[in-house]
Amino acid sequence: MPSLLGVLTLALSGPSQGAFSATAEQARGIAKLAYLYGFPVVEMYKTLYTQAVDQEGPNFKAPFNRIGGTAQVFSPTDTAFVTPHSDTPYSFAWLDLRAEPQVLSLPAPDGSFYGVLRIYLPKPDVSNGQWKMPLLTPVAPEQQ
C-alpha cells in the first residue's frame, strides 16, 4: 500500500490548476494537517481491507455483512488491530449499508454470557455523501 506521503507527493507534483505559492513553513503546516486528516482514513481502510476484502490474508475475518469470530485469544504476533485484549475473544462485522439495512443474528448461547457490542458509525453527512473535506489552513509555529 503506498504511503500517504507518497500519495501526497504524486498529487502535488502533477499539473496544477493555479499557481501554488507558499513558504516552506506554510507548506509544512499544510502537509501536517493533511497527514492529521488523512492518516486515520488510510488506517481505517487498511483495517477494512485486511479484515473484509483480502480473503487470502492472515487477518481476514469475514466478508462484508457477515460476522466473523476469532476462536483464539490474541498474542503479540496478531496484527489485525492495535493492542487487542489478549484474554478476550472477538467477533467482527463490516457492514455495507449503501443498498439496504443489514440484520445480524447470533445463535442463542448455552447458559449465561456477557457480551459487549461496540458500533462505529459515521456522522450522517459522511454516509449521505454530503461530507466536505475541512479547509486546511497553515498552522503558525507557535501553535504547533
Side-chain angles (χ1 to χ4, degrees):
M1 178 182 299
S3 70
L4 182 60
L5 180 59
V7 171
L8 289 173
T9 302
L10 287 174
L12 295 175
S13 66
S16 64
Q17 298 298 323
F20 177 76
S21 62
T23 66
E25 187 175 311
Q26 290 170 328
R28 190 175 303 108
I30 292 169
K32 182 178 178 180
L33 288 172
Y35 180 81
L36 290 174
Y37 281 107
F39 182 76
V41 175
V42 171
E43 283 299 301
M44 182 56 74
Y45 178 78
K46 185 173 77 172
T47 302
L48 176 146
Y49 183 83
T50 60
Q51 291 184 356
V53 177
D54 185 11
Q55 296 188 14
E56 302 301 320
N59 293 325
F60 180 76
K61 305 301 179 199
F64 286 104
N65 304 327
R66 301 277 186 214
I67 297 173
T70 302
Q72 87 272 354
V73 294
F74 289 97
S75 75
T77 61
D78 295 297
T79 59
F81 50 90
V82 179
T83 62
H85 298 285
S86 62
D87 61 349
T88 305
Y90 286 87
S91 292
F92 303 86
W94 287 92
L95 305 179
D96 183 354
L97 305 175
R98 292 175 294 180
E100 61 187 1
Q102 296 292 320
V103 175
L104 300 176
S105 60
L106 297 169
D110 294 332
S112 62
F113 76 100
Y114 177 79
V116 175
L117 177 64
R118 180 179 289 173
I119 299 177
Y120 298 99
L121 296 173
K123 293 182 178 180
D125 51 341
V126 172
S127 58
N128 68 16
Q130 299 300 311
W131 184 81
K132 302 285 188 243
M133 178 73 173
L135 178 64
L136 298 178
T137 56
V139 176
E142 60 272 4
Q143 296 175 337
Q144 295 182 8

